[in-house]
Amino acid sequence: MAAIKDPYIALKFPDYRYYITTRILLAMALQFQGVIVGWHVYSITKDPLSLGLIGLVEILPNFSVTLFAGHFADIYDRKKIALTCLTILMFSGIALYAITHTVPDGHKQIALFYIVIALTGFARGTLSPSLFSILTECVPKEHYLNSTTWNSTLWQIAIMVGAGSSGFLFAAIGYDAYLVMSVLIFFAIISFSFVSPKPHLTKKDAKAPILSSIKGGIKYVFSNQVFLGALSLDLFAVLFGGAVALLPIFAQDILAVGPQGLGFLKAAPSVGSFIMAAVNVYWPPVRNTGKKLLFAVFGFGVCMIIFGISKNFYLSVFILAVSGACDNISVVVRGTIMQTLVPADMKGKVFAVNSMFIGSSNEIGEFESGMAAKLMGVVPSVVFGGTMTLLVVIFTSFRAPKLKNLHFEEK
């Protein structure tokens, strides 16, 4: 496969640099929240279901608002919507800090945590369609593949740094780390304010009935075999392979590596994803794209099975890194499909449908993992999830031939 002519082309656009800086800061902040809240909750309850409930209470408001958010992202000022949601996320970190330091009862803290996380779910569900729609306006269409790859690469670096440092940050300053989350989002707001306003639809377009508009986005997704196949692969892989939600249990009870070890486990997928993303920048998956996608998701399922049965910390970190590399291919391919194939006036709605399924699969996957771990045991539940992922890939390879034979044109 030939390398693209200029692997840094997307980074030469100022709006894209401001946009990606915002994404980096936000990703790091949310990693701090995820790692520290997960550790905090499990330390109090010692119940895997309590970890699953974190995902559930976040996804319910996220799920309820996402489709409407996609409609609004196509007719209103996307930048204002995004800035409002970022502000809510900033104050959520302050709220977590305040709860930790003012509520002495641990179980009352958890109940209040769930409320704050539900609020962040609402904000993230509203934010995502607008943020994606703005991304497609930051670079010309011919550079979408490059911008998607850099978006994934730098996002994974942020997750890697955020997750990897969260354990050390927690060890150094304890639950004051929640304030660090808010500071990062504050700087994300400043960076995003420099992104130039992006066009939205005219008032005439805005008169379309909201339910009809949402229905149009859903119809587009389910009538496009390539898009639906890629979405389904990621949906079920994340749903059944959601071992990440159980990492506090592996860190405390199985591998016995403490919060620092949890940070490394949490960061490992991003390390692998970053390495694969760096490869994709120079050698993007433009040939045999569909087959590479199927192979990558199959590899992700195999990684989950190996991780589930591993009792060695270093093997577990390595295999999680490999799973991240596999996942990155899926992210890049699906993101490029969305940017390339979806019409401009449908991007918000279509991304909302995608976000509703893929975004929700992360949180529902966390809940499924917590419930399965409680019913089946931690290790059997992870092995079961990986096995189901393999079966989904095999099924998709037969049911979505257009996806299997997908190629992107090289630029």
Side-chain angles (χ1 to χ4, degrees):
M1 181 184 299
I4 59 174
K5 294 180 180 179
D6 185 354
Y8 305 100
I9 186 65
L11 299 177
K12 295 181 179 179
F13 296 90
D15 275 355
Y16 185 77
R17 294 198 297 270
Y18 291 129
Y19 174 91
I20 206 65
T21 299
T22 301
R23 285 268 291 167
I24 289 170
L25 294 170
L26 178 62
M28 290 180 62
L30 294 178
Q31 283 303 302
F32 286 158
Q33 174 183 301
V35 172
I36 297 170
V37 169
W39 182 270
H40 196 166
V41 169
Y42 187 68
S43 295
I44 294 172
T45 66
K46 297 296 182 180
D47 184 356
L49 183 58
S50 66
L51 296 176
L53 287 174
I54 294 175
L56 185 65
V57 298
E58 181 172 9
I59 197 51
L60 289 178
N62 187 306
F63 195 87
S64 66
V65 77
T66 297
L67 287 178
F68 297 96
H71 170 77
F72 294 135
D74 284 336
I75 63 174
Y76 294 120
D77 191 323
R78 296 161 176 169
K79 183 176 178 180
K80 290 181 179 178
I81 294 173
L83 286 171
T84 300
C85 294
L86 288 171
T87 302
I88 293 173
L89 291 172
M90 180 183 71
F91 281 106
S92 70
I94 297 173
L96 291 171
Y97 171 83
I99 292 168
T100 302
H101 288 77
T102 60
V103 180
D105 184 89
H107 291 283
K108 288 183 180 179
Q109 285 184 7
I110 293 174
L112 292 172
F113 281 174
Y114 287 154
I115 294 174
V116 174
I117 291 168
L119 180 62
T120 66
F122 172 84
R124 292 174 68 178
T126 307
L127 171 66
S128 295
S130 293
L131 211 55
F132 171 78
S133 299
I134 290 173
L135 168 62
T136 63
E137 301 294 338
C138 289
V139 297
K141 184 175 182 179
E142 61 267 24
H143 303 311
Y144 280 171
L145 180 58
N146 185 253
S147 67
T148 301
T149 305
W150 273 112
N151 188 43
S152 174
T153 302
L154 297 175
W155 180 66
Q156 292 296 348
I157 291 174
I159 292 179
M160 178 174 60
V161 173
S165 62
S166 58
F168 294 98
L169 182 68
F170 175 73
I173 64 175
Y175 295 114
D176 290 352
Y178 289 128
L179 280 183
V180 177
M181 167 190 166
S182 293
V183 171
L184 289 174
I185 298 179
F186 173 74
F187 285 110
I189 292 171
I190 293 176
S191 177
F192 195 72
S193 67
F194 286 102
V195 176
S196 61
K198 301 303 175 187
H200 48 279
L201 300 187
T202 64
K203 292 182 178 180
K204 179 180 178 181
D205 297 313
K207 293 180 180 179
I210 185 170
L211 294 181
S212 176
S213 175
I214 292 172
K215 183 179 178 181
I218 296 173
K219 183 179 179 180
Y220 179 89
V221 170
F222 282 88
S223 64
N224 188 307
Q225 186 185 110
V226 171
F227 193 93
L228 181 61
L231 184 149
S232 300
L233 272 177
D234 202 52
L235 167 67
F236 288 105
V238 174
L239 181 63
F240 292 119
V244 173
L246 304 178
L247 290 183
I249 301 176
F250 279 89
Q252 290 192 39
D253 300 339
I254 297 176
L255 301 173
V257 291
Q260 291 91 344
L262 173 60
F264 281 117
L265 290 170
K266 191 83 170 179
S270 296
V271 174
S273 185
F274 163 68
I275 294 172
M276 180 57 67
V279 172
N280 286 333
V281 166
Y282 287 92
W283 296 281
V286 294
R287 296 177 184 170
N288 298 316
T289 309
K291 292 182 176 64
K292 290 176 181 176
L293 174 63
L294 290 166
F295 180 79
V297 179
F298 191 89
F300 179 85
V302 172
C303 288
M304 290 302 99
I305 294 173
I306 297 174
F307 174 77
I309 62 178
S310 170
K311 298 296 187 294
N312 182 280
F313 172 67
Y314 299 103
L315 174 60
S316 296
V317 170
F318 173 75
I319 208 66
L320 285 174
V322 176
S323 76
C326 294
D327 184 58
N328 177 262
I329 296 175
S330 175
V331 170
V332 170
V333 172
R334 197 178 69 255
T336 306
I337 288 173
M338 281 196 296
Q339 291 198 72
T340 304
L341 301 183
V342 180
D345 61 342
M346 295 283 289
K347 288 186 186 295
K349 291 182 283 291
V350 171
F351 183 82
V353 176
N354 174 79
S355 180
M356 187 179 72
F357 286 99
I358 301 303
S360 64
S361 67
N362 285 282
E363 284 74 22
I364 295 176
E366 290 178 8
F367 178 69
E368 181 273 336
S369 295
M371 180 66 74
K374 190 173 182 67
L375 297 176
M376 302 168 60
V378 175
V379 172
S381 69
V382 175
V383 174
F384 169 77
T387 303
M388 291 301 296
T389 301
L390 302 185
L391 295 176
V392 168
V393 174
I394 294 171
F395 177 80
T396 304
S397 68
F398 287 103
R399 296 293 295 176
K402 290 183 179 179
L403 174 64
K404 183 178 181 180
N405 297 313
L406 174 66
H407 299 268
F408 285 128
E409 293 290 335
E410 288 191 83
K411 299 296 181 182

